[in-house]
Amino acid sequence: MKIIRQKKDLNNLISKVNSFSFVPTMGGLHKGHEILIKKAKKKNKNTFVTIFVNPKQFNLKSDFNNYPRNLKRDTKLLRKLKVNYLYCPKYKDIFSFKTKNKIYMHSFSKKLCGKYRPGHFKGVLDVVNRFLELLNPKYIVLGKKDFQQLTLIKKHIKKNKIKTKVISCETLRDSNKLPYSSRNLNLNKKKKLFASKVFALIRKEKIYIKRKKIKKINFTKLKKRIFDLGIKKIDYIEAINLNTLNKAYNYNEKFNIFSAFYIDKVRLIDNF
């Protein structure tokens, strides 16, 4: 695996490699990332991974500082997966140039996480767009756990007529159905089990809505049960129609339940 740290080395490499799959990460790699990388390798034998903790998508400096970082462990995993190229850029390499594409913020950016994390998605789209302009990959591989982020990146790529094709992967979960996430590294075993119990309640609620053919979806009682479990802060629990990206009201709509809540200071999200 070739590790690139300088932008000039990146430019030399890009001019020689015809096409590749791209997996953007902020490090803290886990089994979910492994699935993304394996899918990327199936799409194209040349696989390009980036590790860059993007400060522009964090609302709190403390959250940025506490984000899991272990480059030695991440590099070892990427070598094991036989990734071809790893780019670990400096801040100025990413943000010192003027972009060709204008950031497109679809109205979906104002809902869910966008409502509670102002500026977050603008920061995400900015850095992803910059990587796309630097790398010009054939594919970008992203996970469905971050469905809102995935959708907004797709909308941005389509609006700007960027040739990179988005490949999405299903959410990978552990034996307790907890989705793999870099932030899980900030939870001990007991707190991970606690999180899985919360997500299990939400999953059961969707089953209940479908089975009982609920015509007016309401999560007031569900939120109370979650608070009764011991959760202190919920940002949102909402049913979203996957076709319209608007609020879902009826059992017969194609919807997922999206949630964001905190265990101590760790914010967890999921949708199913």
Side-chain angles (χ1 to χ4, degrees), residues 2-248:
K2 185 173 180 61
I3 301 174
I4 305 111
R5 297 181 186 275
Q6 302 291 331
K7 192 174 180 180
K8 62 179 181 178
D9 295 329
L10 175 73
N11 293 335
N12 289 335
L13 178 67
I14 296 300
S15 64
K16 296 174 185 175
V17 181
N18 290 327
S19 69
F20 53 85
S21 295
F22 168 44
V23 183
T25 85
M26 294 203 298
L29 302 184
H30 50 71
K31 289 184 178 180
H33 288 113
E34 287 188 41
I35 295 300
L36 297 180
I37 291 164
K38 286 175 181 177
K39 191 156 190 174
K41 287 177 72 65
K42 282 183 180 180
K43 296 301 294 185
N44 195 301
K45 65 179 182 179
N46 290 319
T47 305
F48 209 110
V49 174
T50 55
I51 294 179
F52 178 67
V53 185
N54 175 28
K56 290 184 177 287
Q57 68 188 71
F58 288 84
N59 298 94
L60 298 172
K61 191 173 182 180
S62 58
D63 192 20
F64 171 74
N65 291 336
N66 291 329
Y67 195 84
R69 294 168 173 85
N70 191 329
L71 186 58
K72 186 177 179 181
R73 186 180 70 84
D74 290 345
T75 303
K76 185 178 179 181
L77 175 62
L78 295 175
R79 288 188 192 281
K80 183 181 175 184
L81 292 170
K82 297 181 179 179
V83 166
N84 303 86
Y85 308 105
L86 168 63
Y87 181 35
C88 302
K90 295 182 176 67
Y91 179 90
K92 66 178 182 179
D93 290 337
I94 302 301
F95 292 106
S96 63
F97 68 93
K98 185 175 175 60
T99 60
K100 291 177 281 186
N101 299 314
K102 185 178 179 181
I103 301 302
Y104 173 61
M105 299 290 290
H106 185 270
S107 58
F108 189 41
S109 65
K110 296 176 182 177
K111 300 176 181 179
L112 303 174
C113 286
K115 186 177 177 181
Y116 292 88
R117 302 184 68 189
H120 168 69
F121 287 120
K122 187 176 182 182
V124 170
L125 290 171
D126 186 12
V127 77
V128 169
N129 179 68
R130 288 172 179 276
F131 274 126
L132 292 178
E133 290 194 15
L134 283 170
L135 305 175
N136 191 29
K138 186 170 184 179
Y139 305 102
I140 180 171
V141 186
L142 303 164
K144 289 184 180 180
K145 182 181 80 71
D146 298 302
F147 177 88
Q148 190 175 16
Q149 173 178 287
L150 168 66
T151 301
L152 293 172
I153 291 171
K154 282 182 177 179
K155 298 284 186 187
H156 169 77
I157 286 174
K158 185 177 180 181
K159 184 74 172 179
N160 283 284
K161 298 179 181 177
I162 298 169
K163 292 181 180 180
T164 300
K165 185 177 180 182
V166 179
I167 307 297
S168 59
C169 289
E170 296 296 329
T171 304
L172 186 69
R173 303 175 188 279
D174 66 17
S175 57
N176 292 311
K177 303 275 183 83
L178 182 68
Y180 283 99
S181 170
S182 299
R183 293 179 188 276
N184 291 357
L185 295 170
N186 289 333
L187 298 173
N188 59 31
K189 189 175 180 180
K190 185 178 178 181
K191 288 175 181 175
K192 285 179 185 177
L193 187 59
F194 182 31
S196 68
K197 287 179 180 178
V198 178
F199 286 129
L201 270 183
I202 300 170
R203 191 176 291 106
K204 285 178 184 176
E205 185 73 11
K206 183 176 182 182
I207 295 168
Y208 175 80
I209 290 168
K210 292 288 188 181
R211 191 175 64 235
K212 294 293 184 179
K213 298 183 178 180
I214 302 298
K215 293 182 179 179
K216 192 175 181 181
I217 298 171
N218 186 300
F219 295 129
T220 303
K221 290 181 180 178
L222 174 61
K223 287 179 182 177
K224 185 180 184 303
R225 289 199 295 273
I226 291 171
F227 282 129
D228 288 344
L229 271 181
I231 291 297
K232 305 295 183 188
K233 184 179 179 182
I234 298 173
D235 274 356
Y236 59 80
I237 298 177
E238 291 187 36
I240 296 291
N241 184 304
L242 300 180
N243 294 321
T244 66
L245 303 179
N246 293 320
K247 188 174 181 179

Side-chain angles (χ1 to χ4, degrees), residues 254-272:
K254 184 183 179 182
F255 72 89
N256 274 6
I257 299 178
F258 291 76
S259 60
F261 60 87
Y262 287 80
I263 292 182
D264 295 335
K265 293 182 179 180
V266 181
R267 188 177 189 270
L268 301 173
I269 67 168
D270 200 358
N271 73 92
F272 33 73

